Amino acid sequence: MMTESVFGSVFSVMFGFEPFTMDLLFGGLLILIAIIIMQVDFRKVFTKSATK
C-alpha cells in the first residue's frame, strides 16, 4: 500500500502518459527512503552492532 504512488508513477511513465523527469525520480526516491525509515527498527540495528 505504501508503494502505490511509486508504482503508479512507474506505470504512467512506461505507458507514455507522463514524461520521465528528474523531479519524478527525486520524488520516488524520497518516498522509498521514507518507507525504509518507517519499516526499519533502528534500535535493534544499533544495539546489535554495539554488542558485537
Side-chain angles (χ1 to χ4, degrees):
M1 292 296 289
M2 290 184 284
T3 58
E4 177 183 355
S5 60
V6 175
F7 285 117
S9 295
V10 168
F11 285 120
S12 177
V13 170
M14 283 176 34
F15 293 133
F17 296 119
E18 189 174 332
F20 182 75
T21 62
M22 291 306 290
D23 290 339
L24 186 66
L25 177 65
F26 185 66
L29 286 175
L30 282 176
I31 292 170
L32 290 176
I33 290 169
I35 291 169
I36 290 169
I37 289 172
M38 286 176 32
Q39 295 297 320
V40 173
D41 187 10
F42 288 106
R43 290 182 187 159
K44 286 184 180 180
V45 171
F46 289 127
T47 56
K48 284 184 181 180
S49 63
T51 58
K52 287 186 180 180

